């Protein structure tokens, strides 16, 4: 079969990801799709996968992807007549500590919201299901009947056969030697088939080359932060293990196992992982490393304790191969900085389970412009420019691998490769005992220990369960200081994007749902919508001049939002690092700033003005995310430390306190302010989210035709027990039946309420009752009108008395 000179799409990589992407592109009607693989199919990382399929994951999207994948296999068998190697034996996930039991209960609650059938078993019930287990220390076990395992080679071949039946042409033994880029867009792929060179013109190219994806990306000058890490498992000699044995995960002992050929396959995540340090990963087919049994000892001993028969069984095979890990342990999907060049890589050991979902998402994204699911957590654009640093990527990936089975508590902060990006005032925050968190490489204050104080009642207010694990009484003090006097917040990490030129207004009007044709100095809160009406971004737009606009979005969203805007024809400059930003909010904010500025500070809400603060030139924006009067104060970064010191010196006599992001989150919940990626996503519309007020009625914009009356609405719930605090993902029941999940939650210190948000049927009204599952405990809750705090917004819109 001769290579064509052109194709509609070229998929690079013949593992399960590449085969799935090609299959799904063809299923959506794309013809002239080719797939190229330098070896034979599956011979990169797919072939040595252990094949586990565990449907319950920590995110909604990953769970949906794997559930979709499980449903795809019968379809493949019917289409191709080939067995995809699916063994639907179910899966057990063991818990041997109180903390792991708590995690299991939270996961079980999440599973209910996904419609995923599962049960919480006792240790005795787990042993009854699998008599091989020593379950004496097992406190609980999750039973997931939809789990199982796959034969990786059979799955890839079934996907490939399905793709070929739909018209995809597959070329093995074909190496990629170059990627052609013209004007920032991919235009073709250069290939070598044996000694013969070949070029294929294509404006859509998908890199699905596993551990080699980073090297292939560099051919086009893009960074795909894949880190090849050595991963090991063993297979025992047969000892009459039934083929119906469920898969088992024992995360407290960092080990997993399943049946294989009448014996058991045992794998684990070691605490001292090793990078495969090579410039040419997967250059040879079926790459394996020498067995390293000393490194595997902890996993083997854990497995032998759990299955005593292993202590009397020999090992007949050791598989020690490369796996493609990423800095945060999540997939790398989406379009790169080169238009038309896509990535589907970095599957962190569990890519086989999600392969079907990966193909579905990528094909929808490429063909329709956006996928069905919210994939920001896997979007390649979630990382900033620092991701091109191999030392940063390696440090983060090693940390991610070594803690793969650890319990991840909401709000927990990892320390690898930190600090990296710092505000000009970082040194002052450190002096005040800041408890730092990290977002997109930025060091951000969660709270200041200096605000905690010895307050007895604050100590009694610690939330129950997981919400009280990463917590400080300082959060309450910072909220109350902002309510009663003022809080000073460092939000320099805000992503700041500028758009200018004579067509800037026209083009922004097309992509923004809000009305931007307002006088210079106006601030507009708006959303960017996709073709389905889903919210791709949530931001403010300040009109600095007739032909110049500044967009301010979340810390982690700048790269994503800029790419979305560029994809719709706008020329975007990322000016995040050029400006420090401090937010001064509270009833004494006017008094404080008045001592530092001779300018008129009484300009209205959602207006911006250039002022001087002490000796510093500042753009003051009258906007808030906490529900108190005040401003976002922007200055050139070189003035940032001076401005912080100036504000602190002036504000302290008025009772102002420096404050952090945990206080912001508490106060924004009280005001019903939404957070993108939690309360609002590409899967939700402004109408559903209660943001119809931000949608212009007098213009056309992208996604407008998809906005309809909503069958569900984002609703505010107040829990009966104020010490039970939601952290997002908890199940919600109405009338005893599963109805939704919590999008975000927390404790409102100004209203003294435990607050949660969830999408509920549109007919739900204030006063209706619900139940929320908080770590296995069902807590009564009431639907209430929002916002809970200052419902008339008089504290925001009017000058302080």
């Amino acid at each position: 079969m001769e290579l064509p000179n052109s194709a509609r799409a070229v998929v690079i990589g013949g593992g399960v990801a590449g085969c799935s992407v090609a299959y799904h592109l063809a299923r959506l009607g794309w013809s002239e799709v080719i797939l190229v693989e330098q070896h034979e199919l599956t011979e990169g990382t797919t072939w040595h996968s252990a094949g586990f399929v565990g449907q319950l994951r920590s995110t909604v999207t990953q769970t949906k992807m794997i559930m979709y994948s499980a449903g795809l296999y019968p379809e493949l068998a019917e289409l191709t007549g080939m067995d995809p190697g699916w063994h639907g034996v179910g899966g057990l996930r063991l818990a041997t500590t109180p903390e792991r039991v708590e995690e299991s209960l939270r996961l079980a609650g999440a599973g209910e919201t996904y419609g995923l059938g599962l049960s919480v078993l006792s240790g005795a019930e787990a042993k009854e299901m699998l008599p091989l287990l020593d379950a004496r220390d097992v406190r609980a076990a999750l039973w997931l009947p939809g789990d199982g395992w796959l034969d990786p080679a059979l799955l890839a071949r079934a996907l490939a056969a399905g793709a070929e039946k739909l018209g995809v042409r597959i070329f093995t033994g074909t190496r990629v030697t170059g990627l052609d880029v013209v004007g920032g867009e991919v235009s073709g792929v250069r290939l070598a088939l044996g000694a013969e060179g070949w070029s294929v013109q294509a404006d859509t190219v998908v890199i699905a080359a596993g551990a080699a994806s980073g090297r292939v990306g560099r051919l086009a000058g893009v960074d795909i932060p894949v880190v090849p890490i050595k991963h090991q498992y063993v297979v025992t000699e047969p000892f009459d293990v039934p083929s119906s044995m469920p898969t088992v995960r024992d995360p407290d002992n960092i080990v997993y196992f399943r049946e294989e050929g009448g014996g058991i396959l045992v794998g684990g995540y070691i605490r001292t992982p090793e990078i495969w340090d090579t410039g040419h990963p997967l250059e040879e087919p079926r790459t394996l490393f020498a067995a390293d049994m000393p490194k595997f000892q902890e996993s083997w001993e854990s497995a032998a304790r759990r299955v005593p028969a292993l202590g009397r069984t020999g090992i007949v095979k050791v598989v020690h191969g490369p796996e493609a890990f990423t800095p945060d342990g999540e997939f790398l999907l989406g379009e790169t900085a080169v238009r038309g060049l896509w990535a589907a890589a970095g599957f962190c050991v569990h890519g086989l389970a999600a392969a079907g979902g990966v193909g579905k998402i990528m094909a929808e994204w490429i063909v329709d412009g956006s996928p069905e699911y919210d994939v920001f957590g896997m979007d390649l654009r979630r990382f900033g420019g620092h991701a091109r640093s191999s030392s940063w990527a390696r440090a983060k990936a090693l940390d991610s691998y070594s803690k793969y089975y650890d319990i991840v508590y909401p709000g927990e902060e990892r320390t690898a490769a930190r600090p990296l990006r710092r505000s000009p005032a970082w040194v002052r925050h450190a002096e005040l005992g800041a408890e730092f968190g990290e977002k997109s490489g930025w060091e951000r204050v969660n709270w200041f220990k200096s605000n905690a104080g010895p307050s007895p009642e604050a100590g009694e207010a610690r939330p129950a369960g997981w919400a009280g694990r990463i917590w400080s009484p300082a959060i309450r003090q910072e909220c109350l200081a902002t309510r009663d006097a003022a809080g000073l917040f460092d939000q320099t990490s805000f992503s700041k994007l500028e758009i200018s030129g004579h067509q800037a207004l026209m083009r922004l009007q097309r992509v923004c749902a809000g009305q931007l044709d307002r006088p210079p100095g106006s601030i507009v809160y708006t959303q960017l919508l996709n073709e389905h009406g889903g919210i791709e971004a949530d931001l403010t737009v300040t009109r600095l001049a007739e032909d110049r606009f500044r967009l301010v979005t979340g810390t982690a969203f700048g790269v994503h939002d800029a790419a979305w805007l560029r994809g719709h024809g706008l020329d975007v400059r990322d000016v995040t690092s050029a400006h420090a930003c401090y937010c001064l909010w509270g009833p004494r904010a006017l008094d404080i700033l008045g001592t530092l500025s001779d300018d008129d500070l009484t300009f209205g809400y959602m207006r911006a003005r250039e002022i001087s603060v002490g000796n510093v030139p500042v753009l003051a924006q009258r906007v808030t995310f906490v529900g108190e009067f005040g401003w976002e104060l922007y200055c050139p970064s070189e003035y940032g430390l001076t401005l912080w010191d100036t504000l602190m010196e002036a504000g302290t006599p008025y009772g102002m306190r420096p404050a952090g992001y945990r206080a912001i989150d508490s106060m924004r919940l009280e005001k019903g302010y939404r957070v993108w990626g939690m309360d609002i996503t590409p899967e939700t519309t402004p109408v559903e989210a209660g943001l119809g007020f931000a949608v212009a009625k007098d213009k056309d914009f992208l996604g407008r035709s998809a906005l309809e009356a909503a069958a569900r609405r984002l609703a505010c719930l107040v829990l009966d027990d104020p010490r039970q605090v939601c952290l997002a993902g908890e199940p919600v029941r109405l009338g005893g039946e599963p109805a939704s999940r919590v999008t975000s939650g927390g404790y409102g210190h100004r209203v003294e309420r435990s607050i949660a948000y969830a999408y509920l049927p549109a007919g739900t009204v204030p006063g209706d009752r619900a139940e929320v599952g908080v770590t296995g405990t069902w807590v009564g809750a009431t639907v209430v009108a929002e916002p809970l705090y200052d419902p008339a917004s008089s504290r925001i819109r009017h000058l302080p008395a």
Side-chain angles (χ1 to χ4, degrees), residues 211 214-215 218 224-230 271-281 323-329 332 348 383 386-403 414-418 420:
R215 181 188 63 79
R218 285 190 290 275
I224 302 174
V226 167
V227 180
I229 293 180
K230 298 178 180 181
R271 296 296 187 185
T272 55
E274 184 180 348
I275 288 171
W276 182 25
D277 198 359
T278 176
H280 301 281
E323 293 285 353
F325 263 75
T326 67
D328 60 2
L332 295 174
C348 307
F383 298 119
H386 53 278
R388 71 171 56 96
S389 163
S390 61
S391 61
W392 178 86
R394 287 178 172 211
K396 297 291 279 188
L398 286 170
D399 181 67
S400 176
Y401 180 102
S402 68
K403 298 173 181 174
R414 297 285 176 86
T415 59
R418 293 176 57 190
L420 183 61

Side-chain angles (χ1 to χ4, degrees), residues 523 540 585 605-607 621-625 630-632:
I523 304 169
T540 60
W585 291 317
Y605 180 57
M606 300 301 281
R607 297 286 298 171
Q621 297 198 165
R622 179 86 180 279
V623 66
T624 179
F625 198 55
W631 306 270
E632 295 172 356

